[in-house]
Amino acid sequence: MFLRVLDRLEEWIIASLVAAATLIIFAAVVHRHASTVPFLQNYALRLNMAWAQELCIYMFIWMAKFGAAYGVRTGIHVGVDLVLTRLRAPWHGRVVLFGLLAGALFTAVIASLGAHFVWRIAGTGQVSADMELPMWIVYLAVPCGSSLMCFRFLQVALAFVRTGHLPSHDQAQVEGVDLPGPQEAGR
Amino acid sequence: MSAAIIFGLWFALLFTGMPISISLGLTVLTYFFTLSSVPMESVALKLFTGIEKFEIMAIPFFILAGNFLTHGGVARRMIDFATSLVGHLHGGLALGGVVACALFAAVSGSSPATVVAIGAIVLPAMLRQGYPRTFGAGVISTSGALGILIPPSIVMVMYAVSTNTSVGRLFVAGVVPGLLLATMLGVVTWYLAWRNDYPRLPRASLADIVRSFRASFWGLMLIVVVIGGIYSGVFTPTEAAAMSAVYAFVVAVYVYGDLTLAQVPKVLLASANMSAMLLYIITNAVLFSFLLTFENIPQTMAEWFVHHDMAPWVFLLGINLILLVAGCVMEPSSIVLIMAPLMFPILLRLGIDPIHFGILMTVNMEIGMVTPPVGLNLYVASGISGLGLSELSRAVLPWLLTMLVFLGLVTYLPQISLWLPRTLGMM
């Protein structure tokens, strides 16, 4: 139950961040060009959209950190499997597991480094240039996203030990096009 | 010495098949923890500031725009327009596929997406007309590679951010090489079709051409938005990317109506997934090149090249070989992110133009996408055509050889890449 809520929340957060960032930059560009049109100038100049660029960057940083965790679940992080595919039964599984645990280790180290860093930044009271947002909130994306990613690596490793299956992102499937199957294409 | 340790460790981790991003990050952490006295704070800072650039944000926007466009509508209309132009020649449908790939490449920044968008429609149609399956799959998987050469291009954005060159200039520099390669691929296709007497389509009337142009107008307008917008300075490249995402959304949902609003969240999620993966590679590649720079490796390499009086043409030949081999086993973004900062000091010392080099790298990455064992275009084309990877690798040979000839031209005639940006006064 908790896991399903977490899954949905993760998907919901990253999809909305992408949509929001796109709309913000769109609005900022429209606003900038509206300010040069005499008729609209008066209205446009009352709004200040200097913060748009900064907000967009921060939204994408959050999207990237949580999206990376989502990517572990969907198996989109590709590696070089040249050697791996040539390995036989016991070693193949061991190497795959090593890779997953290495991922968990790396993200765990990053999470703790990041947490330490955020703690220090919070102490300095540093704020962002345009929005004057406390920087520790922005940087919180790293420890949060990285811990989630670590959790996902462990989850995938556990599932692999139990079932022998890995999530794999079908590279031949590009979102939005329903490919005709090989048989259909052959007609 | 440190270079040997760093690259040795990285290769060892890389070939276990773990994600490229993780192997890069782990190499950096291991090295810093065991062999150097860099304060961990500066590493942590890189972790945060690695992707804090507005230029990088063009990548998620272009991916989003591309995903909206791949939805049948735009691609299908472009194919109709293209076949109405060249369909009456030998191998008309295949040539139409090449032209459609070039058109779609001008609105999309990714090669596999171009292969899917155009191939999924053209290939079944070609088979129905009696083309051999290998011919159809070969022409589409290679022409789809135009996706990253003709601007916009995600690979070019990666190159630009990792070397601090201008995205706009790179985009403009890609136009002439892109058109040249499209022409070369078209000529080879026409020659093969003429020799084997593949079917021709009836010549389209002027009215047909106008009608299909008007149908594809909204899709083609995106070319004007992106390239025109960046060149005229109306938008920065990132803004142009965001505008094209909004524009593609409006065209797909409201103008062509091929996408329902209910499908939009799925497109957003898929785009977020892909962009987050690329941004994660960027973060870790930034860490990796921070380590390399910290150990003075690029500078040492540059010194070595200058010290040995290496002629630029020898260097370019060597770099092409390295990139082609790397392209066979790794996907493009990682190669560009690691190699570009490493090579940049050498370029400056040897007097090679960074824009020219960026185009050269992009062409290498294109070839990497159609060479086994790791060629994204081949995977995609194999999914569409039902051909195995080994059959496909043979099927692409005529076009692959053409691309290698083209690579030679781009390498030794910098004017091909630099003429347009110079003429337009951008550099």
Side-chain angles (χ1 to χ4, degrees):
Chain A
M1 180 57 204
F2 167 72
L3 279 179
R4 280 192 34 208
V5 172
L6 186 67
D7 286 2
R8 291 297 153 268
L9 190 68
E10 190 180 61
E11 291 167 11
W12 190 83
I13 289 177
I14 60 176
S16 347
L17 283 174
V18 170
T22 313
L23 290 177
I24 287 170
I25 292 303
F26 178 74
V29 173
V30 170
H31 170 260
R32 195 182 64 213
H33 287 283
S35 345
T36 59
V37 179
F39 170 69
L40 295 169
Q41 218 164 27
N42 289 337
Y43 304 97
L45 288 179
R46 275 183 224 158
L47 275 169
N48 176 12
M49 292 208 61
W51 45 269
Q53 198 157 318
E54 194 181 89
L55 182 60
C56 164
I57 293 176
Y58 293 155
M59 284 174 124
F60 271 139
I61 288 181
W62 278 78
M63 186 280 286
K65 301 303 171 193
F66 283 89
Y70 174 71
V72 174
R73 183 147 68 85
T74 57
I76 202 175
H77 295 283
V78 285
V80 176
D81 57 359
L82 214 55
V83 180
L84 194 62
T85 45
R86 282 172 177 69
L87 289 177
R88 293 194 180 281
W91 279 101
H92 181 264
R94 279 174 210 172
V95 173
V96 169
L97 204 58
F98 171 77
L100 290 172
L101 293 178
L105 174 72
F106 174 68
T107 44
V109 172
I110 295 299
S112 56
L113 268 179
H116 183 73
F117 187 76
V118 167
W119 183 253
R120 239 173 38 90
I121 292 285
T124 63
Q126 202 180 323
V127 293
S128 74
D130 291 325
M131 292 184 297
E132 299 181 356
L133 209 69
M135 282 315 276
W136 67 270
I137 294 184
V138 175
Y139 289 156
L140 202 58
V142 172
C144 290
S146 216
S147 334
L148 185 61
M149 204 169 167
C150 177
F151 172 69
R152 292 297 184 197
F153 267 120
L154 293 174
Q155 217 180 7
V156 170
L158 189 67
F160 178 72
V161 170
R162 277 196 191 144
T163 64
H165 286 299
L166 284 173
S168 72
H169 180 80
D170 187 1
Q171 284 166 317
Q173 178 70 50
V174 172
E175 195 55 43
V177 168
D178 299 315
L179 290 183
Q183 299 83 18
E184 197 184 330
R187 264 189 272 149
Chain B
M1 185 56 209
S2 50
I5 298 175
I6 294 170
F7 279 99
L9 184 60
W10 179 47
F11 282 137
L13 291 173
L14 188 68
F15 282 102
T16 64
M18 69 173 66
I20 296 173
S21 40
I22 300 287
S23 69
L24 288 168
L26 265 182
T27 307
V28 177
L29 283 191
T30 316
Y31 189 84
F32 277 143
F33 267 126
T34 54
L35 292 164
S36 91
S37 51
V38 188
M40 260 351 232
E41 294 298 319
S42 57
V43 180
L45 187 67
K46 274 282 153 196
L47 214 64
F48 291 99
T49 53
I51 56 171
E52 239 185 38
K53 278 186 193 160
F54 193 57
E55 286 78 28
I56 295 180
M57 303 311 160
I59 294 168
F61 286 139
F62 276 131
I63 289 177
L64 183 61
N67 276 351
F68 279 125
L69 290 171
T70 344
H71 285 79
V74 176
R76 201 183 62 238
R77 288 170 177 86
M78 282 183 175
I79 293 168
D80 288 344
F81 175 53
T83 37
S84 78
L85 290 178
V86 292
H88 58 282
L89 299 169
H90 282 277
L93 198 51
L95 280 177
V98 177
V99 175
C101 278
L103 289 176
F104 196 79
V107 296
S108 149
S110 138
S111 282
T114 309
V115 176
V116 172
I118 304 297
I121 301 167
V122 166
L123 198 57
M126 283 176 78
L127 295 177
R128 273 196 296 276
Q129 283 202 3
Y131 285 88
R133 190 177 295 236
T134 46
F135 181 79
V139 71
I140 294 301
S141 33
T142 43
S143 309
L146 288 169
I148 56 168
L149 183 58
I150 298 183
S153 156
I154 290 168
V155 172
M156 285 186 196
V157 178
M158 298 251 184
Y159 177 85
V161 293
S162 55
T163 58
N164 276 326
T165 36
S166 139
V167 181
R169 258 182 236 166
L170 262 178
F171 276 9
V172 172
V175 172
V176 174
L179 294 177
L180 180 63
L181 180 59
T183 313
M184 287 172 71
L185 292 174
V187 168
V188 171
T189 310
W190 176 82
Y191 176 72
L192 290 173
W194 173 73
R195 275 212 13 207
N196 295 311
D197 200 26
Y198 290 145
R200 307 160 72 154
L201 298 171
R203 185 185 281 273
S205 66
L206 191 65
D208 279 338
I209 297 178
V210 170
R211 193 168 36 77
S212 59
F213 172 75
R214 280 179 50 185
S216 60
F217 176 78
W218 294 107
L220 294 172
M221 265 303 284
L222 198 53
I223 304 176
V224 180
V225 173
V226 175
I227 295 301
I230 295 175
Y231 168 64
S232 65
V234 176
F235 311 129
T236 67
T238 308
E239 286 170 352
M243 297 306 273
S244 70
V246 174
Y247 182 88
F249 163 77
V250 172
V251 168
V253 175
Y254 297 107
V255 180
Y256 289 158
D258 292 300
L259 184 74
T260 61
L261 270 180
Q263 290 169 300
V264 170
K266 254 189 74 186
V267 176
L268 285 172
L269 191 60
S271 312
N273 197 12
M274 176 61 74
S275 339
M277 186 268 287
L278 291 175
L279 291 172
Y280 200 66
I281 295 183
I282 298 180
T283 316
N284 289 294
V286 167
L287 269 185
F288 192 73
S289 42
F290 170 69
L291 169 63
L292 294 180
T293 319
F294 182 79
E295 290 293 331
N296 266 324
I297 292 169
Q299 292 81 345
T300 317
M301 277 172 64
E303 283 308 317
W304 188 88
F305 277 105
V306 172
H307 186 74
H308 284 77
D309 263 340
M310 182 77 82
W313 74 268
V314 182
F315 165 74
L316 288 176
L317 184 70
I319 202 71
N320 273 330
L321 291 177
I322 295 173
L323 289 173
L324 287 176
V325 172
C328 287
V329 293
M330 255 165 56
E331 48 82 45
S333 12
S334 319
I335 303 177
V336 169
L337 289 167
I338 293 159
M339 293 294 283
L342 197 60
M343 294 298 133
F344 199 67
I346 307 178
L347 302 183
L348 296 184
R349 294 299 298 265
L350 295 182
I352 299 165
D353 192 285
I355 300 285
H356 168 220
F357 193 74
I359 301 296
L360 178 148
M361 260 192 127
T362 313
V363 175
N364 271 296
M365 296 305 105
E366 278 193 291
I367 297 175
M369 291 189 139
V370 288
T371 46
V374 181
L376 272 179
N377 285 11
L378 292 184
Y379 291 148
V380 179
S382 141
I384 305 174
S385 64
L387 286 176
L389 217 55
S390 53
E391 272 177 293
L392 254 176
S393 333
R394 275 196 302 278
V396 297
L397 269 178
W399 296 277
L400 185 59
L401 290 175
T402 317
M403 287 170 99
L404 286 172
V405 172
F406 173 70
L407 175 62
L409 291 177
V410 166
T411 308
Y412 294 114
L413 296 173
Q415 295 85 342
I416 297 177
S417 331
L418 300 179
W419 175 77
L420 189 61
R422 280 202 180 129
T423 309
L424 293 177
M426 293 179 84
M427 55 191 290

